[in-house]
Amino acid sequence: MSTESPVNSSNRIKNFLIAIVAIALGVALFLGLKTDSTSVSLAELGKTAMPLEVALSNGKPSLVEFYADWCTVCQKMTPDMAKLREKYNKNLNFVMLNVDNTKWLPEMLKYRVDGIPHFIFLGKQGETIAETIGDIPRTIMASNLEALIAGSTLPHIQSNGKTSQFSTSVATDSNQDDPRSHGSQVVN
């Protein structure tokens, strides 16, 4: 026969349930953080982007992003850009051009890229519709992408956010200062 009182038994059950709930919450938190940390990287996003040549010829509008792996603003925007690509990929080309690759120097000069990320919105025929530079909130970028897909005027074409400085002259002249100075300058 048990000499334990009903109150002690009730406390044990309560403590046991609290411990089980705490363990379950801990596991859920761990898995949630692990899922977050394994999200797509900027390098992966760049590797899986639509090639510029294909985007200019397939009849869909395009978002071209000039970026660099070292760009903190580009890295910060990566989860949002991955979600936007997932949502709009069927109707829109997502092109990523790494400013550290001299192959893209003609495009960097054409669009006067001097801060990254630098976004170019292209129409179905490859014509430039608008540009935005810097850290653009996902909701604003989504509004612009929806308008681009619909062929409407982009509602937020004057949006300029935080950028990482970049000079296209650096790619051809090694005597220039290192462009990897991450200023918080807004580029107009």
Side-chain angles (χ1 to χ4, degrees):
M1 239 193 196
S2 175
T3 59
E4 191 173 334
S5 73
V7 173
N8 284 343
S9 178
S10 174
N11 283 342
R12 275 192 172 172
I13 292 172
K14 203 183 298 183
N15 289 342
F16 178 74
L17 290 174
I18 289 171
I20 295 295
V21 169
I23 290 169
L25 288 174
V27 169
L29 180 62
F30 173 76
L31 292 176
L33 292 175
K34 186 174 181 180
T35 301
D36 235 12
S37 67
T38 58
S39 64
V40 67
S41 71
L42 183 60
E44 291 172 38
L45 209 56
K47 286 178 186 173
T48 59
M50 175 76 63
L52 180 62
E53 306 77 37
V54 174
L56 294 176
S57 64
N58 69 4
K60 292 191 323 189
S62 302
L63 175 66
V64 178
E65 177 182 356
F66 289 92
Y67 77 101
D69 294 330
W70 49 262
C71 169
T72 56
V73 178
C74 303
Q75 293 167 2
K76 177 186 173 285
M77 289 187 67
T78 298
D80 286 344
M81 294 307 296
K83 287 176 184 169
L84 290 168
R85 184 195 296 190
E86 187 178 312
K87 182 173 182 178
Y88 298 109
N89 200 33
K90 290 182 180 158
N91 301 311
L92 184 71
N93 300 309
F94 284 83
V95 178
M96 294 185 67
L97 306 180
N98 191 326
V99 297
D100 287 333
N101 185 342
T102 56
K103 172 184 179 180
W104 304 119
L105 186 58
E107 286 77 10
M108 288 184 274
L109 293 171
K110 176 181 178 180
Y111 295 110
R112 297 184 296 183
V113 176
D114 59 2
I116 54 175
H118 187 119
F119 299 97
I120 310 294
F121 297 85
L122 301 176
K124 293 178 181 180
Q125 306 305 316
E127 71 281 11
T128 303
I129 305 295
E131 299 180 32
T132 60
I133 301 170
D135 187 359
I136 309 300
R138 184 170 64 190
T139 55
I140 289 176
M141 184 64 81
S143 295
N144 281 339
L145 296 180
E146 288 172 8
L148 183 64
I149 291 167
S152 306
T153 302
L154 275 62
H156 304 287
I157 59 171
Q158 298 302 319
S159 297
N160 288 331
K162 191 172 187 180
T163 66
S164 289
Q165 280 186 302
F166 176 76
S167 173
T168 53
S169 63
V170 172
T172 58
D173 185 356
S174 60
N175 294 328
Q176 296 287 327
D177 292 335
D178 188 353
R180 296 171 184 176
S181 58
H182 295 285
S184 60
Q185 175 182 355
V186 175
V187 179
N188 293 327

